Amino acid sequence: RSPVYQELPNGHGIKMAEFAWVKISSDRCMTYVVEVQASFPRPANSEAAIQELKEKFFNALAFITALNSVLHTMHKSALPGTFKPYSMTDLTHQLVLIIPDIPSEQCDNVQRLLAKGLKPVTFFWDLSNPAIVVMNRQIAIKHGLINANASS
């Protein structure tokens, strides 16, 4: 969990994604809002899991916006330096769910399910396609979102 998340007051019931990260390349600035889960339920049992992800991603995007807009008192200490030179409109945002041990061939199925279930979040925040990406450990390492030496 990020230090910012750990500093949020306990007892407020704030569900938040694990971390957000800005990656700058020659053609764009991308904000990844990342949640890591050990597993994901089968489609028939996924409604509660999708609802929780909606809350976590929505809250994370709202908190990033509040920090970046200097609307929240934690903005000086909580916002990583990589965010500071950019306004929210300068950044492309992508939601990422990492399920470390999911087989690669199942990532697309979960991603399609989440794309449908997270439509309110992707619409509200006007996220471009693909708004949500599902990755396993190998894919997340390849994209630099997790450390190859990180434990499961």
PDB file of all heavy atoms in Angstrom, residues 4-17:
ATOM      1  N   VAL A   4       0.509   7.282   1.122  1.00  0.00           N
ATOM      2  CA  VAL A   4      -0.656   8.171   1.140  1.00  0.00           C
ATOM      3  C   VAL A   4      -1.868   7.425   1.674  1.00  0.00           C
ATOM      4  O   VAL A   4      -2.599   7.918   2.529  1.00  0.00           O
ATOM      5  CB  VAL A   4      -0.954   8.722  -0.273  1.00  0.00           C
ATOM      6  CG1 VAL A   4      -2.242   9.516  -0.282  1.00  0.00           C
ATOM      7  CG2 VAL A   4       0.206   9.553  -0.758  1.00  0.00           C
ATOM      8  N   TYR A   5      -2.097   6.219   1.179  1.00  0.00           N
ATOM      9  CA  TYR A   5      -3.225   5.404   1.617  1.00  0.00           C
ATOM     10  C   TYR A   5      -3.119   5.128   3.107  1.00  0.00           C
ATOM     11  O   TYR A   5      -4.100   5.200   3.832  1.00  0.00           O
ATOM     12  CB  TYR A   5      -3.269   4.106   0.829  1.00  0.00           C
ATOM     13  CG  TYR A   5      -4.451   3.234   1.188  1.00  0.00           C
ATOM     14  CD1 TYR A   5      -5.672   3.403   0.548  1.00  0.00           C
ATOM     15  CD2 TYR A   5      -4.360   2.255   2.165  1.00  0.00           C
ATOM     16  CE1 TYR A   5      -6.766   2.626   0.872  1.00  0.00           C
ATOM     17  CE2 TYR A   5      -5.448   1.469   2.492  1.00  0.00           C
ATOM     18  CZ  TYR A   5      -6.646   1.658   1.840  1.00  0.00           C
ATOM     19  OH  TYR A   5      -7.724   0.881   2.165  1.00  0.00           O
ATOM     20  N   GLN A   6      -1.921   4.827   3.565  1.00  0.00           N
ATOM     21  CA  GLN A   6      -1.720   4.505   4.974  1.00  0.00           C
ATOM     22  C   GLN A   6      -1.955   5.706   5.879  1.00  0.00           C
ATOM     23  O   GLN A   6      -2.274   5.548   7.046  1.00  0.00           O
ATOM     24  CB  GLN A   6      -0.327   3.918   5.180  1.00  0.00           C
ATOM     25  CG  GLN A   6      -0.194   2.556   4.531  1.00  0.00           C
ATOM     26  CD  GLN A   6       1.214   1.993   4.582  1.00  0.00           C
ATOM     27  OE1 GLN A   6       2.157   2.680   4.934  1.00  0.00           O
ATOM     28  NE2 GLN A   6       1.352   0.736   4.224  1.00  0.00           N
ATOM     29  N   GLU A   7      -1.818   6.919   5.340  1.00  0.00           N
ATOM     30  CA  GLU A   7      -2.039   8.128   6.133  1.00  0.00           C
ATOM     31  C   GLU A   7      -3.505   8.530   6.217  1.00  0.00           C
ATOM     32  O   GLU A   7      -3.856   9.411   7.004  1.00  0.00           O
ATOM     33  CB  GLU A   7      -1.234   9.297   5.551  1.00  0.00           C
ATOM     34  CG  GLU A   7       0.249   9.172   5.788  1.00  0.00           C
ATOM     35  CD  GLU A   7       1.013  10.352   5.217  1.00  0.00           C
ATOM     36  OE1 GLU A   7       0.449  11.471   5.156  1.00  0.00           O
ATOM     37  OE2 GLU A   7       2.167  10.157   4.837  1.00  0.00           O
ATOM     38  N   LEU A   8      -4.378   7.916   5.420  1.00  0.00           N
ATOM     39  CA  LEU A   8      -5.798   8.263   5.491  1.00  0.00           C
ATOM     40  C   LEU A   8      -6.337   7.888   6.860  1.00  0.00           C
ATOM     41  O   LEU A   8      -5.989   6.844   7.409  1.00  0.00           O
ATOM     42  CB  LEU A   8      -6.594   7.531   4.410  1.00  0.00           C
ATOM     43  CG  LEU A   8      -6.332   7.962   2.974  1.00  0.00           C
ATOM     44  CD1 LEU A   8      -7.066   7.036   2.009  1.00  0.00           C
ATOM     45  CD2 LEU A   8      -6.749   9.397   2.758  1.00  0.00           C
ATOM     46  N   PRO A   9      -7.171   8.733   7.422  1.00  0.00           N
ATOM     47  CA  PRO A   9      -7.697   8.447   8.764  1.00  0.00           C
ATOM     48  C   PRO A   9      -8.484   7.140   8.795  1.00  0.00           C
ATOM     49  O   PRO A   9      -9.295   6.876   7.913  1.00  0.00           O
ATOM     50  CB  PRO A   9      -8.619   9.634   9.053  1.00  0.00           C
ATOM     51  CG  PRO A   9      -8.332  10.651   8.015  1.00  0.00           C
ATOM     52  CD  PRO A   9      -7.689   9.963   6.865  1.00  0.00           C
ATOM     53  N   ASN A  10      -8.221   6.338   9.806  1.00  0.00           N
ATOM     54  CA  ASN A  10      -8.973   5.088   9.988  1.00  0.00           C
ATOM     55  C   ASN A  10     -10.409   5.404  10.380  1.00  0.00           C
ATOM     56  O   ASN A  10     -10.683   6.438  10.959  1.00  0.00           O
ATOM     57  CB  ASN A  10      -8.328   4.225  11.078  1.00  0.00           C
ATOM     58  CG  ASN A  10      -6.998   3.669  10.639  1.00  0.00           C
ATOM     59  OD1 ASN A  10      -6.772   3.453   9.458  1.00  0.00           O
ATOM     60  ND2 ASN A  10      -6.115   3.437  11.582  1.00  0.00           N
ATOM     61  N   GLY A  11     -11.296   4.501  10.058  1.00  0.00           N
ATOM     62  CA  GLY A  11     -12.666   4.659  10.486  1.00  0.00           C
ATOM     63  C   GLY A  11     -13.546   5.448   9.536  1.00  0.00           C
ATOM     64  O   GLY A  11     -14.722   5.621   9.777  1.00  0.00           O
ATOM     65  N   HIS A  12     -12.987   5.961   8.454  1.00  0.00           N
ATOM     66  CA  HIS A  12     -13.787   6.718   7.498  1.00  0.00           C
ATOM     67  C   HIS A  12     -14.382   5.829   6.419  1.00  0.00           C
ATOM     68  O   HIS A  12     -15.159   6.304   5.592  1.00  0.00           O
ATOM     69  CB  HIS A  12     -12.961   7.831   6.849  1.00  0.00           C
ATOM     70  CG  HIS A  12     -12.702   8.975   7.771  1.00  0.00           C
ATOM     71  ND1 HIS A  12     -13.617   9.971   8.005  1.00  0.00           N
ATOM     72  CD2 HIS A  12     -11.628   9.263   8.548  1.00  0.00           C
ATOM     73  CE1 HIS A  12     -13.111  10.825   8.872  1.00  0.00           C
ATOM     74  NE2 HIS A  12     -11.906  10.420   9.227  1.00  0.00           N
ATOM     75  N   GLY A  13     -14.012   4.573   6.392  1.00  0.00           N
ATOM     76  CA  GLY A  13     -14.570   3.644   5.411  1.00  0.00           C
ATOM     77  C   GLY A  13     -14.173   3.948   3.980  1.00  0.00           C
ATOM     78  O   GLY A  13     -14.910   3.640   3.051  1.00  0.00           O
ATOM     79  N   ILE A  14     -13.014   4.558   3.801  1.00  0.00           N
ATOM     80  CA  ILE A  14     -12.557   4.907   2.458  1.00  0.00           C
ATOM     81  C   ILE A  14     -11.883   3.698   1.828  1.00  0.00           C
ATOM     82  O   ILE A  14     -10.865   3.218   2.311  1.00  0.00           O
ATOM     83  CB  ILE A  14     -11.561   6.088   2.504  1.00  0.00           C
ATOM     84  CG1 ILE A  14     -12.219   7.308   3.115  1.00  0.00           C
ATOM     85  CG2 ILE A  14     -11.045   6.399   1.096  1.00  0.00           C
ATOM     86  CD1 ILE A  14     -11.259   8.439   3.407  1.00  0.00           C
ATOM     87  N   LYS A  15     -12.487   3.218   0.743  1.00  0.00           N
ATOM     88  CA  LYS A  15     -11.867   2.134  -0.018  1.00  0.00           C
ATOM     89  C   LYS A  15     -11.065   2.786  -1.124  1.00  0.00           C
ATOM     90  O   LYS A  15     -11.542   3.678  -1.817  1.00  0.00           O
ATOM     91  CB  LYS A  15     -12.934   1.211  -0.602  1.00  0.00           C
ATOM     92  CG  LYS A  15     -13.679   0.439   0.463  1.00  0.00           C
ATOM     93  CD  LYS A  15     -14.682  -0.499  -0.147  1.00  0.00           C
ATOM     94  CE  LYS A  15     -15.403  -1.256   0.947  1.00  0.00           C
ATOM     95  NZ  LYS A  15     -16.363  -2.213   0.400  1.00  0.00           N
ATOM     96  N   MET A  16      -9.818   2.334  -1.274  1.00  0.00           N
ATOM     97  CA  MET A  16      -8.902   2.998  -2.193  1.00  0.00           C
ATOM     98  C   MET A  16      -8.071   1.960  -2.934  1.00  0.00           C
ATOM     99  O   MET A  16      -7.719   0.924  -2.375  1.00  0.00           O
ATOM    100  CB  MET A  16      -7.986   3.911  -1.379  1.00  0.00           C
ATOM    101  CG  MET A  16      -7.121   4.825  -2.168  1.00  0.00           C
ATOM    102  SD  MET A  16      -7.986   6.230  -2.874  1.00  0.00           S
ATOM    103  CE  MET A  16      -8.466   7.153  -1.436  1.00  0.00           C
ATOM    104  N   ALA A  17      -7.747   2.249  -4.190  1.00  0.00           N
ATOM    105  CA  ALA A  17      -6.830   1.397  -4.957  1.00  0.00           C
ATOM    106  C   ALA A  17      -5.473   1.387  -4.259  1.00  0.00           C
ATOM    107  O   ALA A  17      -5.162   2.275  -3.456  1.00  0.00           O
ATOM    108  CB  ALA A  17      -6.701   1.918  -6.380  1.00  0.00           C
TER     109      ALA A  17
END
